[in-house]
């Protein structure tokens, strides 16, 4: 559980939940989402500040039909 915040490790230890149960119970998903037209710059800034960040997707012109992959 070294990728969990320290307080969540304590919650896991006190409750006996395993990591999967902990993530489901406390909805530990993506977190904050930022939409930008300069993802490389955003990643650079966030990583310099010690944040874990990655490109989640992109917005593209479409046909008006929704497609979820």
């Amino acid at each position: 559980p070294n990728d969990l915040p320290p307080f969540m490790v304590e919650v896991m230890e006190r409750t006996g939940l395993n990591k999967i149960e902990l993530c489901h119970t406390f909805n530990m998903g993506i977190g904050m989402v930022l939409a930008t037209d300069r993802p490389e710059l955003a990643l650079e800034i966030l990583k310099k500040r010690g944040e874990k960040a990655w490109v989640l997707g992109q917005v593209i012109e479409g046909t008006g039909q929704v497609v979820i992959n």
Side-chain angles (χ1 to χ4, degrees):
N2 58 354
D3 59 334
L4 295 174
F7 74 93
M8 291 309 291
V9 173
E10 185 166 343
V11 169
M12 188 167 73
E13 291 170 354
R14 288 180 181 222
T15 62
L17 294 172
N18 65 40
K19 187 175 177 183
I20 292 172
E21 293 168 324
L22 189 76
C23 290
H24 286 217
T25 301
F26 292 97
N27 192 23
M28 297 183 341
I30 298 296
M32 181 181 212
V33 176
L34 172 70
T36 178
D37 61 348
R38 299 179 66 193
E40 298 82 12
L41 178 60
L43 289 172
E44 180 183 328
I45 292 169
L46 290 166
K47 287 183 180 181
K48 280 183 182 177
R49 287 167 171 74
E51 298 293 337
K52 292 181 183 177
W54 58 93
V55 174
L56 185 62
Q58 62 182 344
V59 176
I60 59 172
E61 187 174 340
T63 63
Q65 185 177 28
V66 176
V67 178
I68 299 175
N69 294 327

